[in-house]
Each structure stands twice: as C-alpha cells, then as structure tokens.
Amino acid sequence: MPSSSSVTEARRALGRRLRRLREDKGLTTRELARRCGWHESKCSRIENGRAPASPETIETWARVCDAQDQIDELVEAARGIKGMYIEWREMEAAGLKHAQDSVRLLWERTRTFKAYAQNLIPGPLQTTAYTRAVLEGIRDRRGVRDDVEAALAVRAERQAVLDDPERSFDIVLEEAALYRRVGPPELMAEQLWRLLQVAASPNVRLGVIPRDADRHLMLPVEDFWIFDGRQAGVELVSAYLTVTQPHEVKLYNSDFERLDHLAVHGGPVIQLMGSVLTSYN
C-alpha cells in the first residue's frame, strides 16, 4: 500500500533526473552549487531525495545545465510530489468541512469519473444518513472538529454533479461494501434503495463484483477515484494520496478495467442488491 515512502521515492526519481542534467553538463555538485549561489549540500540533498526541490530551484538548476526545455516538465513533477501525500490530520485540521472543500474544484472541472470501492459506498451515491454516520465515525476516531453538519452541506452540493448529463460516472463496488454496516438496518436499506435509483440514471454505470468472483488475477485494492483519466485519488489509513504521474495513473486505469471486468452490471446488479436488501428487512 502506498505510504509516505511514496513521496521519498518520487523525490529520489526527480533527484536522479536533476543529477543527469548536471552530469550531462559535466559539472560537479560543488561547481553547480557555486554557479547557482547555493551551499553544496543543497545539491546533494536534492539529488538523493532528502530534500524537496522548489520550482525556483529547478528553474535555476536547469538553466545552469542548459536544459531550459525541461523546466516545465520538471516543475510539474515537483508540484505533483508536493501535493501527492497529505495526512488526514493535516487535511482535517480545520474540520471536516474544510476537507470536503479541498476537492471542490477538482470535482467541478471533472467530466468523467471512475470509482472503485471495497469498503464504503462512494460519497456521491450516499444518502444523508449514511454520510452522517461515516463523518461522525471519522470525527470520533480522529478527534477532529465537530462540524459534521457543515460538511454534510458540502457533500450535498457535490452530489449535484450526478444530475449533470454532461458528466459520466463509472463505479465498481465490491459486494462486501453493500453488507458493511455503518448504522442500523433501516439506514442500510435506505442506502441500497438509493443505489438502485442511481443505477437507473443514464450517466451512471454501476457494477458490483460478486463475493464469489475468481480473484486470482485481480485482488481487492484500496478505494480510489480516477478523474478524467488523468488523476487518481486514493484513501489510505493515514493520508489521502493524489496520483498524477502518467505511468502511475495508467496503472489505476488498468486495474479499474480489470475490476470492472469482474463486476456484473444491469439486471444482475438489481437482483444482487435485492437479495442484500432482504437481509436488512
């Protein structure tokens, strides 16, 4: 599972690219530092992934190495590293509403959504009662500010994207997520009825992976979203991971296709959820 070590590895990869620029120019770290006006240790820390490289640092480094054509790409990589791993305690320090607001712009500009969930029903598909139970659990478990009602209002605004015919949603759930209770049976029954309603929307394609599916090629993984095929958001135990590097996003797209292939759709989904509903009645 990805963790804070992902940031370190990403920094090391960027450092290797910067080292190649220096070596291609025939410079030592001491000479590069002298030309840039830095201490030599700064170059060493960046090249070994022990320190982040700011956009300004990258631009100066590349210009000294006569690699101006690579500045934009390197800066974009550095920015991706900075925002790729945010601990929940940092994201939620100002409350749950702030955490919900932090992804508002991403949701507003996205047109094609893909989501996989093995643990919980994805946010836009949740009923108010289900969302409240989830947020109250987060509040109590992580000891954050009690602004659940304000966070619920933000979530309700986000759900409006489901009504936009120009947006499409491709969602795959593990069958276990339908049984995983976050409240009393009546709350779960209401949530399943909500799923049935959403599944009838023309811009929503809902799939469920049966519990008896053959998983030898694709095991369950962490819950994730893919936005316009170019960015993935992954919920970890300790943090929220944003994946923007093309080769990594490609892996999430590929795994989503495999998971979707395991899922049933259409009529079989309705039958499956109907059987789950009987367990709550």
Side-chain angles (χ1 to χ4, degrees):
M1 178 179 290
S3 69
S4 57
S5 62
S6 300
V7 178
T8 301
E9 289 304 315
R11 283 180 180 172
R12 287 174 179 165
L14 179 59
R16 288 193 292 269
R17 294 179 65 181
L18 293 171
R19 180 187 295 118
R20 284 196 294 271
L21 296 185
R22 173 180 61 78
E23 292 174 344
D24 288 346
K25 183 63 176 177
L27 299 175
T28 64
T29 54
R30 177 172 298 179
E31 180 60 19
L32 175 65
R34 186 190 68 79
R35 296 189 185 187
C36 294
W38 304 329
H39 192 281
E40 182 180 353
S41 63
K42 176 176 180 175
C43 298
S44 178
R45 291 197 306 272
I46 290 174
E47 288 188 353
N48 290 288
R50 295 196 299 270
S54 69
E56 295 76 18
T57 294
I58 290 173
E59 182 174 356
T60 301
W61 190 306
R63 291 190 184 282
V64 168
C65 295
D66 292 330
Q68 291 90 333
D69 60 326
Q70 298 188 44
I71 290 175
D72 289 345
E73 183 180 352
L74 291 167
V75 168
E76 186 63 29
R79 285 175 174 159
I81 294 169
K82 182 179 180 180
M84 70 182 295
Y85 185 89
I86 304 177
E87 291 189 42
W88 292 118
R89 63 181 180 179
E90 177 183 348
M91 182 180 289
E92 296 166 350
L96 294 169
K97 178 181 181 296
H98 174 76
Q100 299 298 319
D101 272 330
S102 66
V103 295
R104 185 195 298 267
L105 291 178
L106 174 62
W107 280 74
E108 288 179 352
R109 69 171 181 256
T110 300
R111 289 296 176 266
T112 61
F113 298 81
K114 293 180 181 179
Y116 163 78
Q118 65 156 313
N119 294 310
L120 296 173
I121 306 302
L125 279 61
Q126 295 173 4
T127 64
T128 300
Y130 188 102
T131 301
R132 180 179 285 108
V134 171
L135 292 177
E136 288 177 346
I138 293 173
R139 176 200 63 196
D140 296 342
R141 187 170 70 254
R142 296 177 185 158
V144 298
R145 278 179 51 189
D146 187 3
D147 62 347
V148 168
E149 295 306 314
L152 274 171
V154 176
R155 275 284 188 97
E157 290 178 8
R158 192 186 306 170
Q159 284 189 338
V161 299
L162 287 173
D163 299 324
D164 185 346
E166 295 186 0
R167 289 182 166 94
S168 64
F169 294 81
D170 202 349
I171 298 171
V172 174
L173 308 176
E174 296 283 351
E175 183 181 351
L178 306 178
Y179 286 96
R180 190 160 289 115
R181 285 179 52 181
V182 301
E186 56 269 24
L187 180 152
M188 297 303 298
E190 180 190 29
Q191 177 59 67
L192 287 175
W193 280 114
R194 163 70 175 164
L195 281 179
L196 287 170
Q197 293 171 351
V198 171
S201 301
N203 62 332
V204 177
R205 180 172 177 269
L206 180 65
V208 177
I209 302 176
R211 288 185 291 184
D212 61 355
D214 184 348
R215 309 303 295 267
H216 77 285
L217 288 179
M218 189 65 224
L219 295 172
V221 294
E222 64 272 10
D223 293 11
F224 64 86
W225 282 86
I226 302 174
F227 304 95
D228 283 333
R230 298 193 298 267
Q231 176 175 322
V234 190
E235 295 192 1
L236 310 178
V237 171
S238 60
Y240 184 82
L241 181 68
T242 298
V243 179
T244 58
Q245 295 299 309
H247 68 281
E248 293 182 291
V249 176
K250 183 179 179 179
L251 291 175
Y252 278 95
N253 278 298
S254 296
D255 274 3
F256 183 86
E257 291 180 6
R258 294 186 180 95
L259 291 161
D260 185 61
H261 183 72
L262 291 170
V264 295
H265 302 82
V269 167
I270 296 174
Q271 294 175 1
L272 192 155
M273 284 197 287
S275 66
V276 179
L277 263 172
T278 61
S279 70
Y280 291 120
N281 295 324

